[in-house]
Amino acid sequence: MTDEIIKVPDIGSDGAEVIEVCVGAGDQVEAEDSLIVLESDKATMEVPAPRNGRIVEVLLKVGDKVSEGDDLLKMAAEGGAVAAEAPEAPAPVAETPAAAPAPEAVPAAPAASVIKEVRVPDIGSDNVPVIEVSVKPGDEISEEDPLVTLESDKATMEVPSPFSGVVTEVKVKEGDTLSQGDLVVMMEVAGAAPVAQPAVPSQAPVVEKPAASQPAASAAAPTQPAAESNRELEQANKSIHAGPAVRKIAREFGVDLSLVRGSGPRSRILKEDVQNYVKAKLSEPKSAQVSGGLGIPQMPAVDFSKWGEVEEKELTRLRQVAAKNFQRSWLNVPHVTQFDESDITELEDFRKSQKAAAQARGSKLTPLPFMLKACAYALKEMPQFCASLSPEVDRIIYKKYVNIGVAVDTPDGLLVPVIKDVDKKGLWELADECVALAEKARNKQLKPDEMQGGCFTISSLGSVGGTAFTPIVNAPEVAILGISKAEIKPKWNGTEFAPRLMLPLSLSYDHRAINGAEAARFTALLGQLLSDIRNILL
Ligand code: CAO
């Protein structure tokens, strides 16, 4: 026996795209199982298996454009059963109609609509009363729309339509009792139907046969618990079973059908399942819908070119990394900034007095090394500023070393080289190291080791300007000192206003590790140290 080539049936339009391949080589399929899903400009449609059998080879892939008669897949022949089964199954166009069609077989559906019967599927019991008729002649319905509702002593169940089309005749009324195979409605189904329905099919179109070993009752209604585990098993092992109409609403709502539990026969996903899934998602607490549980709303994408010319440039890698770090710190660390100012009049006099000496030794003595020295002293005095919190925020880790990072502005973005053991170094050494590290940062020559191990950070905008700012803590450090431009201000000395050079200090801190009073004491201590640098010697 040679394998049978299954072809694309009449799909009611000139061409369609394969949007899903539901089977693979080796799969065992049953008649009516979905093989592929096609999408034309008019509709989405499944091509069902014409019979039970094994897939030998899939001849199409997602994205392929197909028309009626194109080779779809190869199915293993089943001892001549192919021809005999052809008329029963809604088979696609037979490859060689001349080869073996049974006399009553209609190999290919005409493009025009056909009248089909819909009969009661296997409902697990006989003579089940109709409690609701959901359609009337002339109704246009989609596949899986309920036709009637039946209520047995075990369960209430809907009989869904196996096709999309127009109801031409309703054969039942409320109060009738129905059994498997009873005629429910007649429907006019558009040309997408691959074969015409025989007048009295040996198997009703909506029959879903239970597995041989399964008691009939468990297959009767999708809502019955006994059917539940069976469906779960099927769901896990088979490709998604859903009709085009269901796939369409899933796409409209952006629902991943693999996450939806099908409540239809053989775990088929019904419209209601998608609707219930969407409802459940919408009623989930907001925090569960976003990563990290922070509930941060996404920034909208705005087309700025609507209002004028724009130019788009990619951020440097450094800026992208810095952006992430800033955001992480800003979101994780409860920031508070303590503002203060320090009288550095005498310090500045001393610094200027050292200019010649600095030049002589090739150094540049800015206020920064003095800040470093004063901060190192304060960090030793107040070790909670030279510390980090554990990620669980249940411990504080005090660092016995004093390494201070210095924010350096570079053309590519901000870098923070770390000056190690600041407490052990003199002013000249610190001044030289500041210059060397800033130069390395601007020339992209910093080694990873030179940017690690910090306990505290200084961000100096003193050479640029500004009166104060709120720096972002360089987490997991717990504090950062921002320095703005020193300015001469009139200060009351007890008898008169005197011009004093005042340095603005902005200390941002992690309020989980440091409280406000400690922060105020820290900046006061810095002010005291800087106002008379001799204090550092004490
Ligand atoms: N007040 C007044 N003048 C100041 C000052 C202050 N607080 N701090 C520095 N100056 C003066 C210096 O004394 C120097 O003048 P002189 O040459 O006359 O002495 C001049 O400003 C330039 O100093 P500098 O910038 O070359 O050196 P620095 O030691 O002050 O700073 C560095 C070095 C690397 C910190 C700095 O160049 C830098 O990159 N700062 C930017 C940091 C930054 O971007 N922070 C923001 C982080 S958050 O986005």
Side-chain angles (χ1 to χ4, degrees):
M1 261 308 137
T2 52
D3 296 330
E4 183 192 9
I5 302 273
I6 306 297
K7 291 179 173 277
V8 174
D10 179 356
I11 49 178
S13 64
D14 291 344
E17 191 182 330
V18 178
I19 60 164
E20 192 178 338
V21 176
C22 314
V23 291
D27 284 358
Q28 192 71 35
V29 295
E30 289 174 30
E32 292 287 342
D33 277 355
S34 299
L35 299 175
I36 57 167
V37 182
L38 302 177
E39 193 170 60
S40 71
D41 52 354
K42 294 192 196 80
T44 306
M45 64 211 98
E46 281 177 13
V47 177
R51 58 174 172 83
N52 296 356
R54 185 174 55 82
I55 307 297
V56 176
E57 191 184 351
V58 179
L59 304 170
L60 293 173
K61 59 182 186 318
V62 171
D64 281 355
K65 301 273 186 298
V66 297
S67 305
E68 180 186 354
D70 284 350
D71 289 355
L72 198 164
L73 50 75
K74 260 188 219 169
M75 264 182 104
E78 279 193 341
V82 177
E85 282 179 14
E88 274 188 27
V93 178
E95 187 201 9
T96 49
E104 67 273 35
V106 183
S113 55
V114 291
I115 301 293
K116 289 183 173 243
E117 296 171 342
V118 179
R119 292 177 178 271
V120 176
D122 181 354
I123 48 176
S125 43
D126 287 332
N127 302 319
V128 182
V130 176
I131 60 160
E132 191 182 332
V133 178
S134 316
V135 293
K136 58 183 184 320
D139 280 356
E140 192 163 353
I141 58 171
S142 300
E143 186 181 358
E144 298 294 358
D145 280 354
L147 300 172
V148 293
T149 306
L150 309 177
E151 191 169 67
S152 72
D153 51 356
K154 296 195 198 80
T156 302
M157 66 209 98
E158 288 175 345
V159 175
S161 169
F163 319 109
S164 296
V166 177
V167 176
T168 55
E169 228 180 313
V170 178
K171 299 284 192 186
V172 295
K173 58 182 188 316
E174 271 178 36
D176 284 355
T177 53
L178 300 180
S179 303
Q180 180 180 353
D182 285 349
L183 190 56
V184 181
V185 296
M186 301 295 288
M187 283 180 66
E188 189 178 333
V189 178
V195 297
Q197 196 78 3
V200 184
S202 59
Q203 190 181 4
V206 287
V207 165
E208 302 295 339
K209 277 212 176 282
S213 59
Q214 199 183 355
S218 69
T223 46
Q224 284 182 11
E228 208 89 319
S229 59
N230 187 45
R231 266 204 308 280
E232 274 171 14
L233 204 67
E234 284 180 356
Q235 191 91 334
N237 295 334
K238 294 179 83 174
S239 54
I240 296 159
H241 203 41
V246 174
R247 288 175 193 276
K248 185 161 174 272
I249 65 159
R251 267 202 308 283
E252 281 168 3
F253 286 107
V255 170
D256 177 355
L257 279 179
S258 68
L259 303 174
V260 179
R261 189 185 176 83
S263 68
R266 290 192 301 163
S267 302
R268 194 174 184 82
I269 299 171
L270 309 181
K271 260 187 194 171
E272 292 79 353
D273 298 328
V274 178
Q275 286 160 348
N276 290 338
Y277 179 85
V278 172
K279 270 188 219 154
K281 281 283 155 201
L282 287 175
S283 59
E284 263 177 27
K286 277 220 158 47
S287 58
Q289 294 174 20
V290 291
S291 58
L294 293 164
I296 305 152
Q298 189 106 30
M299 293 297 292
V302 178
D303 177 11
F304 300 103
S305 66
K306 283 196 293 197
W307 299 285
E309 198 189 341
V310 295
E311 187 192 354
E312 198 170 310
K313 276 187 179 171
E314 200 171 327
L315 284 180
T316 62
R317 172 107 187 87
L318 187 56
R319 274 184 184 272
Q320 290 182 34
V321 171
K324 283 204 182 96
N325 289 340
F326 285 141
Q327 190 178 20
R328 189 179 56 186
S329 176
W330 184 253
L331 294 173
N332 280 293
V333 174
H335 279 72
V336 179
T337 305
Q338 170 71 24
F339 300 105
D340 207 341
E341 55 182 10
S342 166
D343 185 339
I344 59 164
T345 315
E346 261 96 59
L347 186 150
E348 191 61 2
D349 289 345
F350 174 71
R351 187 180 75 85
K352 282 186 177 150
S353 73
Q354 297 302 309
K355 268 216 161 167
Q359 259 172 355
R361 61 190 311 281
S363 297
K364 189 178 169 200
L365 193 61
T366 68
L368 187 60
F370 294 91
M371 304 296 153
L372 281 164
K373 211 65 203 154
C375 284
Y377 187 94
L379 290 174
K380 293 217 99 166
E381 284 288 302
M382 301 183 72
Q384 64 270 44
F385 285 84
C386 195
S388 283
L389 290 169
S390 65
E392 301 79 22
V393 198
D394 56 356
R395 281 164 298 129
I396 184 158
I397 300 124
Y398 294 99
K399 299 159 195 176
K400 305 289 177 176
Y401 47 86
V402 182
N403 299 342
I404 299 179
V406 175
V408 178
D409 184 31
T410 81
D412 285 337
L414 199 69
L415 280 169
V416 186
V418 174
I419 301 177
K420 308 275 162 54
D421 299 319
V422 176
D423 54 324
K424 297 185 182 120
K425 290 175 179 166
L427 276 176
W428 292 122
E429 198 179 353
L430 290 172
D432 292 346
E433 213 170 321
C434 279
V435 170
L437 285 173
E439 206 172 296
K440 271 189 169 184
R442 287 176 182 133
N443 295 329
K444 301 179 188 162
Q445 289 169 335
L446 281 176
K447 298 192 191 87
D449 176 54
E450 290 170 315
M451 291 186 281
Q452 290 169 355
C455 310
F456 181 86
T457 297
I458 295 178
S459 176
S460 175
L461 292 174
S463 61
V464 185
T467 54
F469 64 109
T470 53
I472 294 179
V473 173
N474 190 12
E477 295 170 14
V478 292
I480 180 169
L481 179 70
I483 298 168
S484 298
K485 192 173 182 66
E487 227 187 327
I488 293 180
K489 290 185 180 175
K491 285 284 161 184
W492 185 251
N493 63 12
T495 48
E496 57 180 356
F497 280 104
R500 306 297 296 177
L501 184 64
M502 303 305 292
L503 179 74
L505 305 174
S506 308
L507 179 79
S508 290
Y509 57 92
D510 183 340
H511 209 347
R512 297 171 304 171
I514 289 158
N515 63 40
E518 289 171 319
R521 276 198 285 276
F522 189 85
T523 54
L525 174 59
L526 281 181
Q528 191 194 336
L529 295 169
L530 292 170
S531 64
D532 187 345
I533 199 74
R534 289 171 301 183
N535 285 320
I536 294 174
L537 300 173
L538 295 174

